Amino acid sequence: KSIIKDIRKFSLKNLGFIPDAVIYLAAISNDPMGNKFKSITHEINTKCCIKIAKDAKKVGVKKFIFASSCSIYGSAGNKKKKENHSIKPLTDYAKSKVKSEKLLKKISSKSFKVISLRFATAAGFSPKLRLDLVFNDFVANSIVKNEILILSNGEPWRPLIHVKDMARAIEWSINYSPKSNFLPINIGSDKWTFRIKDLANKIAKILGNVEVSLNKNNQPDKRSYTVDFSLFRLLAKNFQPK
């Protein structure tokens, strides 16, 4: 059953039943939009998320799954970030995810478990295709323009994850029973962690006849992070990225 509704006007009462789990995916979900629409980003990414989580807890929902992001690690250098390491969100989008996590942790309990899936950057084809994402952007420009223009020096690290693997991680989280009330977990893989320039060159080589160029006039991209996915490998052996 699909209910098409603005998340800001949505209530669990609209469903007509109490679900086993609530999965919160709604977000203003890229950095340029987050920077331009700060108040709406806060409203949708955090305020609505917490409102729905509180409503879910009140009516007896047992589990709340939050789509968070590895972008909360921000400027992390070359050291792989574990879930308990320090975070350094650089954008309004990343900051909204951090604030949501903190508030969700406060309201989590033995009877209301919260799992925060810190996803690597999404990639891959979907019915509502996003071409702002780095992998998809590089592929689209390769096909349309035979060119990949990197908007930084290409040095930043970025972990990626295919949308189908994201869906499988969500499936795992629905059925997994965490021991702690609040579980943050990095979702992705070492195999799909790239420097931006290496990713561009790999895509160019596969598609062929594609020129890769750097925009040397742009400011360096401070968003660079590698992530430790060992907890996800340990807890979800049968749901690893394919």
Tab-separated table of all heavy atoms in Angstrom, residues 95-121:
chain	number	residue	atom	x	y	z
A	95	LYS	N	25.470	17.177	9.082
A	95	LYS	CA	25.131	17.644	10.435
A	95	LYS	C	23.718	17.219	10.828
A	95	LYS	O	23.460	16.907	11.993
A	95	LYS	CB	25.281	19.167	10.508
A	95	LYS	CG	26.732	19.632	10.468
A	95	LYS	CD	26.847	21.143	10.344
A	95	LYS	CE	28.303	21.568	10.185
A	95	LYS	NZ	28.433	23.032	9.925
A	96	SER	N	22.816	17.208	9.870
A	96	SER	CA	21.433	16.782	10.164
A	96	SER	C	21.382	15.307	10.556
A	96	SER	O	20.590	14.905	11.418
A	96	SER	CB	20.526	17.045	8.955
A	96	SER	OG	20.746	16.107	7.913
A	97	LYS	N	22.240	14.496	9.926
A	97	LYS	CA	22.294	13.069	10.260
A	97	LYS	C	22.858	12.867	11.669
A	97	LYS	O	22.394	12.013	12.424
A	97	LYS	CB	23.145	12.317	9.228
A	97	LYS	CG	22.572	12.298	7.822
A	97	LYS	CD	21.248	11.569	7.758
A	97	LYS	CE	20.737	11.432	6.323
A	97	LYS	NZ	19.419	10.770	6.269
A	98	VAL	N	23.880	13.651	12.017
A	98	VAL	CA	24.475	13.559	13.355
A	98	VAL	C	23.451	13.935	14.418
A	98	VAL	O	23.294	13.234	15.426
A	98	VAL	CB	25.711	14.482	13.466
A	98	VAL	CG1	26.203	14.553	14.907
A	98	VAL	CG2	26.826	13.987	12.558
A	99	LYS	N	22.738	15.035	14.191
A	99	LYS	CA	21.748	15.481	15.176
A	99	LYS	C	20.633	14.454	15.339
A	99	LYS	O	20.187	14.173	16.467
A	99	LYS	CB	21.161	16.829	14.751
A	99	LYS	CG	20.313	17.476	15.838
A	99	LYS	CD	20.002	18.924	15.521
A	99	LYS	CE	19.247	19.562	16.702
A	99	LYS	NZ	18.914	20.975	16.432
A	100	SER	N	20.188	13.879	14.229
A	100	SER	CA	19.143	12.851	14.294
A	100	SER	C	19.617	11.648	15.094
A	100	SER	O	18.870	11.115	15.928
A	100	SER	CB	18.735	12.417	12.888
A	100	SER	OG	18.148	13.479	12.181
A	101	GLU	N	20.843	11.207	14.843
A	101	GLU	CA	21.396	10.072	15.584
A	101	GLU	C	21.407	10.351	17.088
A	101	GLU	O	21.029	9.499	17.894
A	101	GLU	CB	22.806	9.742	15.107
A	101	GLU	CG	22.862	8.954	13.811
A	101	GLU	CD	24.209	8.275	13.607
A	101	GLU	OE1	25.063	8.337	14.524
A	101	GLU	OE2	24.420	7.667	12.541
A	102	LYS	N	21.843	11.540	17.475
A	102	LYS	CA	21.924	11.887	18.903
A	102	LYS	C	20.550	11.862	19.555
A	102	LYS	O	20.385	11.345	20.671
A	102	LYS	CB	22.561	13.270	19.061
A	102	LYS	CG	24.055	13.293	18.794
A	102	LYS	CD	24.631	14.694	18.972
A	102	LYS	CE	26.140	14.692	18.756
A	102	LYS	NZ	26.712	16.066	18.857
A	103	LEU	N	19.546	12.412	18.866
A	103	LEU	CA	18.198	12.457	19.418
A	103	LEU	C	17.550	11.075	19.429
A	103	LEU	O	16.814	10.725	20.365
A	103	LEU	CB	17.341	13.446	18.623
A	103	LEU	CG	17.773	14.909	18.744
A	103	LEU	CD1	16.995	15.790	17.754
A	103	LEU	CD2	17.570	15.425	20.164
A	104	LEU	N	17.827	10.271	18.402
A	104	LEU	CA	17.290	8.904	18.357
A	104	LEU	C	17.875	8.051	19.479
A	104	LEU	O	17.187	7.224	20.073
A	104	LEU	CB	17.577	8.262	16.995
A	104	LEU	CG	16.745	8.781	15.824
A	104	LEU	CD1	17.294	8.263	14.502
A	104	LEU	CD2	15.284	8.384	15.972
A	105	LYS	N	19.150	8.262	19.754
A	105	LYS	CA	19.795	7.520	20.847
A	105	LYS	C	19.118	7.822	22.173
A	105	LYS	O	18.909	6.931	23.016
A	105	LYS	CB	21.276	7.876	20.913
A	105	LYS	CG	22.055	7.037	21.919
A	105	LYS	CD	23.546	7.352	21.883
A	105	LYS	CE	24.294	6.454	22.864
A	105	LYS	NZ	25.765	6.724	22.822
A	106	LYS	N	18.717	9.081	22.366
A	106	LYS	CA	18.062	9.491	23.615
A	106	LYS	C	16.722	8.801	23.823
A	106	LYS	O	16.358	8.465	24.951
A	106	LYS	CB	17.851	11.011	23.622
A	106	LYS	CG	19.081	11.814	23.991
A	106	LYS	CD	18.738	13.298	24.126
A	106	LYS	CE	19.970	14.095	24.525
A	106	LYS	NZ	19.647	15.553	24.641
A	107	ILE	N	15.968	8.605	22.736
A	107	ILE	CA	14.630	8.029	22.892
A	107	ILE	C	14.606	6.509	22.700
A	107	ILE	O	13.574	5.887	22.901
A	107	ILE	CB	13.604	8.691	21.939
A	107	ILE	CG1	13.961	8.427	20.467
A	107	ILE	CG2	13.504	10.177	22.212
A	107	ILE	CD1	12.898	8.939	19.505
A	108	SER	N	15.746	5.924	22.328
A	108	SER	CA	15.793	4.461	22.186
A	108	SER	C	15.645	3.809	23.561
A	108	SER	O	15.978	4.412	24.588
A	108	SER	CB	17.096	4.021	21.527
A	108	SER	OG	18.201	4.332	22.363
A	109	SER	N	15.156	2.566	23.553
A	109	SER	CA	14.952	1.854	24.822
A	109	SER	C	14.914	0.356	24.551
A	109	SER	O	14.993	-0.085	23.399
A	109	SER	CB	13.643	2.295	25.480
A	109	SER	OG	12.529	1.901	24.703
A	110	LYS	N	14.755	-0.428	25.601
A	110	LYS	CA	14.691	-1.885	25.443
A	110	LYS	C	13.511	-2.300	24.587
A	110	LYS	O	13.570	-3.300	23.866
A	110	LYS	CB	14.599	-2.558	26.817
A	110	LYS	CG	15.904	-2.563	27.590
A	110	LYS	CD	15.767	-3.352	28.879
A	110	LYS	CE	17.102	-3.389	29.635
A	110	LYS	NZ	16.987	-4.145	30.909
A	111	SER	N	12.448	-1.544	24.661
A	111	SER	CA	11.245	-1.880	23.882
A	111	SER	C	11.154	-1.090	22.579
A	111	SER	O	10.228	-1.282	21.791
A	111	SER	CB	9.992	-1.615	24.721
A	111	SER	OG	9.938	-0.255	25.111
A	112	PHE	N	12.122	-0.183	22.356
A	112	PHE	CA	12.145	0.621	21.119
A	112	PHE	C	13.592	0.721	20.647
A	112	PHE	O	14.319	1.647	20.974
A	112	PHE	CB	11.552	2.011	21.368
A	112	PHE	CG	11.430	2.859	20.132
A	112	PHE	CD1	10.510	2.546	19.131
A	112	PHE	CD2	12.231	3.983	19.953
A	112	PHE	CE1	10.398	3.335	17.991
A	112	PHE	CE2	12.131	4.771	18.819
A	112	PHE	CZ	11.204	4.452	17.833
A	113	LYS	N	14.002	-0.295	19.902
A	113	LYS	CA	15.391	-0.375	19.427
A	113	LYS	C	15.574	0.498	18.186
A	113	LYS	O	14.715	0.527	17.305
A	113	LYS	CB	15.749	-1.822	19.074
A	113	LYS	CG	15.537	-2.820	20.218
A	113	LYS	CD	16.705	-2.831	21.166
A	113	LYS	CE	16.597	-3.975	22.159
A	113	LYS	NZ	17.752	-4.096	23.030
A	114	VAL	N	16.721	1.164	18.131
A	114	VAL	CA	17.044	2.006	16.974
A	114	VAL	C	18.337	1.509	16.338
A	114	VAL	O	19.345	1.319	17.023
A	114	VAL	CB	17.209	3.487	17.380
A	114	VAL	CG1	17.653	4.317	16.169
A	114	VAL	CG2	15.905	4.038	17.954
A	115	ILE	N	18.300	1.278	15.018
A	115	ILE	CA	19.497	0.930	14.257
A	115	ILE	C	19.749	2.059	13.260
A	115	ILE	O	18.875	2.400	12.457
A	115	ILE	CB	19.347	-0.405	13.515
A	115	ILE	CG1	19.120	-1.555	14.507
A	115	ILE	CG2	20.594	-0.691	12.666
A	115	ILE	CD1	18.913	-2.920	13.855
A	116	SER	N	20.934	2.648	13.347
A	116	SER	CA	21.304	3.730	12.439
A	116	SER	C	22.278	3.198	11.399
A	116	SER	O	23.424	2.886	11.708
A	116	SER	CB	21.931	4.886	13.224
A	116	SER	OG	22.201	5.968	12.368
A	117	LEU	N	21.815	3.078	10.176
A	117	LEU	CA	22.621	2.542	9.084
A	117	LEU	C	23.420	3.675	8.456
A	117	LEU	O	22.870	4.515	7.739
A	117	LEU	CB	21.716	1.879	8.037
A	117	LEU	CG	20.808	0.757	8.540
A	117	LEU	CD1	19.854	0.317	7.425
A	117	LEU	CD2	21.615	-0.431	9.036
A	118	ARG	N	24.714	3.701	8.739
A	118	ARG	CA	25.581	4.743	8.182
A	118	ARG	C	26.051	4.298	6.799
A	118	ARG	O	27.085	3.649	6.641
A	118	ARG	CB	26.760	5.006	9.119
A	118	ARG	CG	26.345	5.620	10.442
A	118	ARG	CD	27.529	5.830	11.372
A	118	ARG	NE	27.126	6.479	12.616
A	118	ARG	CZ	27.932	6.694	13.645
A	118	ARG	NH1	29.216	6.317	13.581
A	118	ARG	NH2	27.489	7.282	14.747
A	119	PHE	N	25.259	4.626	5.797
A	119	PHE	CA	25.505	4.159	4.441
A	119	PHE	C	26.686	4.879	3.784
A	119	PHE	O	26.863	6.085	3.945
A	119	PHE	CB	24.279	4.393	3.565
A	119	PHE	CG	23.162	3.412	3.785
A	119	PHE	CD1	21.930	3.838	4.253
A	119	PHE	CD2	23.342	2.068	3.512
A	119	PHE	CE1	20.894	2.944	4.440
A	119	PHE	CE2	22.304	1.161	3.695
A	119	PHE	CZ	21.075	1.597	4.160
A	120	ALA	N	27.458	4.110	3.009
A	120	ALA	CA	28.408	4.703	2.072
A	120	ALA	C	27.597	5.448	1.007
A	120	ALA	O	26.364	5.379	0.976
A	120	ALA	CB	29.263	3.604	1.441
A	121	THR	N	28.265	6.182	0.124
A	121	THR	CA	27.575	6.953	-0.909
A	121	THR	C	26.850	6.034	-1.884
A	121	THR	O	27.450	5.110	-2.439
A	121	THR	CB	28.584	7.820	-1.691
A	121	THR	OG1	29.211	8.723	-0.773
A	121	THR	CG2	27.900	8.622	-2.777
